[in-house]
Amino acid sequence: MRAEAEAHARTVEQAVGLLRRFLDWDRAQRRLEELNARAEDPALWNDPRAAQAVMRERRKLEEALTATRTLEDELRNTVELIELAEAEGDSELEAEGVEALARLAARAEQEKVEALLSGEADANNAFIEINAGAGGTESQDWAEMLFRMYQRWAERRGFRTELIDSHPGEQAGIKSATLLVKGEGAYGWAKTESGVHRLVRISPFDANARRHTSFASVWVYPEIDDSIEIEINEKDLRIDTYRSSGAGGQHVNTTDSAVRITHLPTGIVVASQSERSQHKNRATAFKMLRARLYEAELQRREAEANAQNAAKTDIGWGHQIRSYVLQPYQLVKDLRTGVTSTSPHEVLDGALDPFIAAALAQRVTGERVEVEDVD
């Protein structure tokens, strides 16, 4: 086959391999047989809620297995068509086969991403929390650049955003901010962005035009509804109120309407100042705290399930995931997957999907990519 066809075929093969691994193919087939048997049992509907859960799982699993088999069958048939066309010297039929293979490769990539977004909370809205690192104005300006990047990314994907909390820097930028991204699959798409992001550039705040390195942390967690029970003891909380502040430190409220809640056992801190009412801000902060605790539970389950997977380490301040270099050259490099872009300004304008898709895939493959550090 011509090189173009071979490249498309490899794309489909890799997607199918990842889907099989994600599904745990043999286990998935056995599970589907169990669900089919339960679905045929009339007694199942004695508990309508449990029956609906079984039918949902069955449908979801059946669709995933069928989609993967269909990709495999279409790949085999299309490759055979191209090989037959080559053998008979039919260039027109061969070209049609290559086009069909290109469409199949695009579909396989889409199927792969959709499968990777099928986690327990992946369909939910997402909170994106950004905190400037040490370094004063430099890091605070970088934190604001990241905040804008996620706003632009959300717009590109058709998500809506809502500012929940923001603390401006003394001279420029922000010390911290929390953005709520609303839309189907927002958390599934954004969850791999948690970690430390590093910026290297000639500082606009340095009169000597020296190169600076700045850090900011990003934490992503899902918004959850009231159907998910998270136990919170009041004695484990410290609740503080303060005045909401806007850009430049201007007070947007003359009362202590903003609310900050600290969960003492875990050290988790959440805050809300988006509402003028302290009562509403308190309700929002509690919702954020429940979401953070739920996300921590999801992380714990994932860590247990992948205890031997080196790629599934806990994300913390010391875990750098991506570097953005603006000077002396231009490069964005993801230090987990090796994905790069030579257009950092486009990335900072929200072009994050290639980085996110690769990071989602890595959660399944567990493969770490060794890359040189970006200075």
Side-chain angles (χ1 to χ4, degrees):
M1 288 192 297
R2 66 175 73 171
E4 182 183 0
E6 290 177 351
H8 293 320
R10 279 196 302 273
T11 296
V12 179
E13 289 169 354
Q14 290 168 359
V16 167
L18 188 141
L19 286 168
R20 278 179 163 269
R21 187 167 180 174
F22 177 77
L23 288 167
D24 192 350
W25 191 259
D26 293 337
R27 185 205 62 79
Q29 289 181 307
R30 290 194 299 271
R31 178 59 177 166
L32 183 58
E33 291 175 1
E34 294 172 5
L35 293 170
N36 285 336
R38 292 185 64 185
E40 293 173 2
D41 183 359
L44 174 67
W45 291 96
N46 292 339
D47 184 345
R49 188 171 180 177
Q52 290 172 2
V54 168
M55 300 307 288
R56 279 196 303 270
E57 183 184 357
R58 177 195 183 200
R59 183 179 66 254
K60 186 176 178 180
L61 193 54
E62 190 171 43
E63 289 175 351
L65 291 169
T66 299
T68 305
R69 290 195 189 98
T70 300
L71 287 173
E72 291 177 312
D73 292 342
E74 290 189 23
L75 174 62
R76 181 174 59 255
N77 294 336
T78 307
V79 168
E80 289 176 356
L81 174 67
I82 293 172
E83 291 175 343
L84 178 62
E86 286 179 336
E88 295 182 354
D90 190 337
S91 58
E92 185 176 344
L93 182 60
E94 181 185 354
E96 290 178 4
V98 173
E99 289 179 6
L101 204 53
R103 291 193 297 271
L104 185 61
R107 200 174 90 219
E109 286 294 295
Q110 183 63 31
E111 294 276 3
K112 180 180 75 174
V113 171
E114 288 179 1
L116 296 174
L117 295 176
S118 59
E120 183 174 335
D122 284 356
N124 294 24
N125 298 336
F127 290 105
I128 300 180
E129 184 180 304
I130 301 167
N131 289 281
T137 302
E138 290 290 341
S139 293
Q140 290 165 13
D141 187 55
W142 172 223
E144 186 171 48
M145 291 168 66
L146 285 174
F147 181 83
R148 179 187 178 278
M149 179 181 77
Y150 289 115
Q151 282 185 311
R152 293 288 295 117
W153 167 77
E155 290 172 8
R156 286 178 178 229
R157 294 212 60 83
F159 296 144
R160 292 175 292 114
T161 60
E162 179 182 331
L163 177 63
I164 299 298
D165 185 58
S166 180
H167 296 272
E170 287 85 0
Q171 296 181 348
I174 55 174
K175 294 177 181 177
S176 64
T178 302
L179 185 71
L180 176 58
V181 181
K182 298 180 176 180
E184 180 73 21
Y187 175 67
W189 273 101
K191 64 185 179 183
T192 61
E193 288 297 292
S194 289
V196 174
H197 297 243
R198 179 174 69 161
L199 173 70
V200 180
R201 64 173 175 175
I202 301 298
S203 171
F205 305 101
D206 189 331
N208 296 316
R210 291 172 295 190
R211 190 169 64 159
H212 284 249
T213 300
S214 305
F215 296 89
S217 69
V218 173
W219 194 259
V220 182
Y221 48 100
E223 183 181 41
I224 59 175
D225 58 37
D226 294 335
S227 65
I228 298 174
E229 295 184 6
I230 302 294
E231 184 178 347
I232 300 176
N233 294 321
E234 290 283 344
K235 64 181 178 62
D236 292 335
L237 305 178
R238 185 176 72 241
I239 302 176
D240 303 307
T241 59
Y242 57 97
R243 290 187 179 181
S244 301
S245 59
Q250 295 299 311
H251 293 305
V252 296
N253 204 318
T254 57
T255 62
D256 292 345
S257 61
V259 176
R260 181 187 300 110
I261 301 177
T262 303
H263 187 249
L264 300 175
T266 61
I268 290 174
V269 180
V270 295
S272 174
Q273 61 171 314
S274 59
E275 305 287 349
R276 290 187 176 273
S277 161
Q278 183 184 120
H279 177 72
K280 290 181 179 179
N281 280 326
R282 183 186 176 99
T284 299
F286 263 102
K287 179 184 286 188
M288 294 167 64
L289 178 59
R290 291 175 65 244
R292 283 289 300 270
L293 292 172
Y294 176 64
E295 191 268 348
E297 173 63 16
L298 293 180
Q299 291 281 348
R300 185 190 66 78
R301 291 182 201 169
E302 182 177 333
E304 286 183 357
N306 299 278
Q308 303 302 317
N309 190 334
K312 302 287 180 72
T313 55
D314 290 337
I315 295 173
W317 186 253
H319 189 73
Q320 186 179 313
I321 66 168
R322 193 176 301 140
S323 284
Y324 308 70
V325 181
L326 303 185
Q327 283 102 7
Y329 52 90
Q330 301 213 333
L331 180 70
V332 179
K333 177 175 282 189
D334 195 292
L335 304 180
R336 303 162 298 177
T337 64
V339 172
T340 62
S341 170
T342 55
S343 301
H345 292 290
E346 184 178 348
V347 175
L348 291 171
D349 199 41
L352 292 173
D353 282 1
F355 295 95
I356 291 173
L360 286 169
Q362 190 196 56
R363 284 184 171 225
V364 178
T365 64
E367 295 173 358
R368 295 186 66 85
V369 178
E370 297 299 328
V371 296
E372 294 182 3
D373 195 23
V374 180
D375 293 326

